[in-house]
Amino acid sequence: MNSEINRQKGFFHDLEVMTRDKRDKYLWQKMKDLLGFAYDNSKAFRTRMDKAGLAPRDIKNIRDWPLIPALPKKELVHLQPAGPDLGGLLTCSAGELRHVYLSPGPIVDPEARHKDYWGFAEAFYAAGFRKSDIVQMTFSYHFTPAGLMMEEPLHEIGCAVFPAGPGNTDGQIEVMTRLGVTGFVGMASFLKIIADKAENKGLDLKNDLNLEVAFVAAERLSESLRKELEERLGMQIRQGYGTADLGCIAYECPEKNGMHLSSRVYVEICDPETKKPLASGETGEVLVTPFNPAYPLIRLATGDLSALEEQACPCGRTAPRLKGILGRVDDTVKAKGQFIYPSQVDEALKNLSGIRSWKLVVTNPDGRDRISLHVLSSGGIDSVTVSKAFQDKIKLRAEIIVSHDEAGFHESNQKIEDQRIWDQ
Ligand SMILES: [Zn+2]
């Protein structure tokens, strides 16, 4: 039905193609306005600044921004219960909001009344959604913001939405075929369940279903799953990164080479401990400042790890790109003065055949950090090769312990264990 539509080209608004210089000025103006407003209207933010002995006039330019103390996401749970203004985090009363949600944590997620509050419209346009698409929304509409959060941008673009929510695979397939649904929003793993079941029912995934475009989120998307689904269903699948506190942070374009930062946020990649920005391209914690005066979560430390790619993208969008979500801060360890991330170890070992799994353990038997890398081998790998690969990539020495016993290598276990004992 929509095969004439060009899902690859075009932009939702011209903020996506600002020059570097213009972008910096635009961001700084937004940051400065938010800073002043939050200081005057959010008790929680003012307290945070006062404790650091800072006032808005001390933040004179974008380079001063990291002086503002970060707000770790975990702290929201403790800050929020104090009163209907969410512990002074909100700058309006709860009754003035459009929706209020509750996410696991438990964390309250406010939604103010302004247009495209969660900011996903440019992300959905970049993913390929266009006016007159009929879209099946399979995120939940209850308690958490997911369903309504993802529905809003579709209205902005001019799509019709079927509010399916999760589950009920048979019903989902019936709606898809009867309405000629062209777009899917939800988890990629659920799209696979739908595709498998539709095929088992004897449906032809390309002819009986009319799917052309999907936006997926909320779980890690492997390239193999994406490729499989794109081929089987004859559609394009793009992903985005956002949270229930912050809304849209970054999203993929047709090029599929990382996620462009949204024009509605300022993102810093920081040292997980000091929360100070790292050099461009380094892996660190994602800190986000959404330009949202109603709920000004300035420098929210997400606990997610990523790195920035600054090189120009062929799609024409000028915002830097996040190189995917590379793990969680909680799964990392700082040993010998350096952070080690699970994704780095994966990268170091990826070209070595014969390694089925690994686990990194850090101890400090004599007060000095010792790193042991346990590898589960299916034979043919020697510790010298592993040691060299680890050191080449991570620039630290590790004791390599090759094992043939699967015990201790379960996928659900933490890949990095900090077993150091500290003096009180
Ligand atoms: Zn791009």
Side-chain angles (χ1 to χ4, degrees):
M1 192 190 305
N2 286 327
S3 53
E4 300 307 312
I5 290 177
N6 188 336
R7 299 187 184 276
Q8 308 291 318
K9 295 249 177 291
F11 309 102
F12 185 69
H13 51 58
D14 53 15
L15 295 175
E16 295 162 60
V17 289
M18 286 183 287
T19 60
R20 176 78 187 251
D21 196 38
K22 215 169 157 190
R23 173 177 305 281
D24 287 349
K25 283 191 186 122
Y26 172 83
L27 291 176
W28 172 237
Q29 189 60 50
K30 287 280 187 190
M31 292 155 78
K32 203 163 60 170
D33 291 349
L34 184 73
L35 176 65
F37 184 84
Y39 189 77
D40 291 342
N41 296 283
S42 158
K43 286 199 300 281
F45 181 65
R46 195 179 185 121
T47 306
R48 183 155 43 120
M49 291 287 277
D50 289 348
K51 274 187 188 162
L54 288 170
R57 65 176 176 278
D58 299 316
I59 312 300
K60 295 185 188 68
N61 52 48
I62 219 161
R63 289 183 302 280
D64 289 339
W65 197 251
L67 294 173
I68 302 171
L71 173 62
K73 185 176 160 119
K74 283 178 195 160
E75 275 186 27
L76 290 179
V77 181
H78 306 294
L79 281 170
Q80 280 190 342
D85 62 353
L86 304 183
L89 288 163
L90 266 185
T91 60
C92 59
S93 74
E96 290 173 277
L97 299 167
R98 181 165 50 202
H99 288 110
V100 195
Y101 306 93
L102 191 67
S103 287
I107 295 175
V108 176
D109 307 310
E111 177 190 313
R113 291 178 185 273
H114 60 83
K115 207 175 159 186
D116 196 21
Y117 175 84
W118 302 101
F120 274 97
E122 65 183 65
F124 276 57
Y125 197 90
F129 287 82
R130 294 294 181 266
K131 191 171 181 294
S132 303
D133 271 322
I134 304 171
V135 183
Q136 199 143 324
M137 171 60 60
T138 66
F139 279 122
S140 174
Y141 281 81
H142 300 113
F143 273 78
T144 75
L148 285 164
M149 178 198 271
M150 297 289 181
E151 181 171 320
E152 186 184 44
L154 295 164
H155 297 310
E156 287 295 313
I157 292 170
C159 310
V161 177
F162 182 81
N168 188 6
T169 313
D170 289 321
Q172 303 270 7
I173 294 167
E174 190 187 337
V175 170
M176 275 181 186
T177 49
R178 280 190 65 179
L179 297 181
V181 166
T182 52
F184 172 91
V185 180
M187 290 165 78
S189 54
F190 188 46
L191 184 57
K192 182 174 159 60
I193 290 170
I194 291 173
D196 290 348
K197 194 146 193 183
E199 231 166 33
N200 285 340
K201 284 173 180 286
L203 294 174
D204 179 319
L205 295 185
K206 283 182 183 150
N207 292 319
D208 295 325
L209 298 184
N210 205 23
L211 288 171
E212 295 182 13
V213 61
F215 185 88
V216 298
E219 66 185 348
R220 195 182 171 89
L221 174 67
S222 70
E223 281 309 320
S224 58
L225 178 61
R226 176 179 358 223
K227 190 164 179 282
E228 178 201 320
L229 291 172
E230 284 189 329
E231 284 175 6
R232 285 173 70 196
L233 291 151
M235 69 191 303
Q236 72 179 42
I237 299 172
R238 294 294 178 272
Q239 59 181 333
Y241 166 49
T243 74
D245 329 280
L246 300 162
C248 181
I249 300 167
Y251 54 86
E252 286 181 336
C253 67
E255 301 293 328
K256 239 175 9 183
N257 56 1
M259 295 186 277
H260 286 284
L261 296 180
S262 164
S263 57
R264 63 183 288 282
V265 291
Y266 180 64
V267 168
E268 302 161 85
I269 302 294
C270 294
D271 179 307
E273 213 166 68
T274 66
K275 313 293 186 201
K276 298 295 179 209
L278 297 167
S280 177
E282 282 190 42
T283 299
E285 184 173 8
V286 181
L287 265 71
V288 182
T289 300
F291 307 137
N292 176 8
Y295 188 49
L297 295 175
I298 293 172
R299 302 198 80 224
L300 188 84
T302 60
D304 291 326
L305 295 169
S306 190
L308 272 181
E309 171 63 74
E310 306 264 3
Q311 271 193 356
C313 179
C315 79
R317 287 175 185 79
T318 50
R321 309 188 294 282
L322 287 178
K323 296 177 190 167
I325 300 307
L326 306 171
R328 291 282 302 166
V329 169
D330 296 344
D331 299 333
T332 68
V333 69
K334 192 172 190 179
K336 298 184 181 179
Q338 185 184 315
F339 281 101
I340 307 173
Y341 306 107
S343 61
Q344 288 176 306
V345 183
D346 281 335
E347 184 71 17
L349 304 181
K350 75 175 181 191
N351 292 326
L352 304 182
S353 56
I355 294 182
R356 290 165 57 202
S357 189
W358 61 266
K359 188 172 80 178
L360 191 101
V361 180
V362 182
T363 53
N364 59 346
D366 48 5
R368 288 170 60 189
D369 292 345
R370 196 153 92 193
I371 304 167
S372 309
L373 179 65
H374 300 249
V375 294
L376 176 61
S377 164
S378 49
I381 192 84
D382 66 272
S383 59
V384 177
T385 311
V386 179
S387 174
K388 186 176 181 314
F390 184 87
Q391 203 171 342
D392 282 351
K393 173 73 190 168
I394 299 174
K395 314 293 178 208
L396 290 172
R397 293 174 74 89
E399 179 196 9
I400 309 297
I401 299 153
V402 178
S403 170
H404 300 280
D405 181 1
E406 285 192 27
F409 285 97
H410 297 296
E411 276 308 306
S412 56
N413 287 1
Q414 204 152 351
K415 299 289 270 181
I416 296 184
E417 278 180 26
D418 189 350
Q419 296 180 357
R420 288 174 291 190
I421 295 161
W422 308 100
D423 292 334
Q424 295 302 310

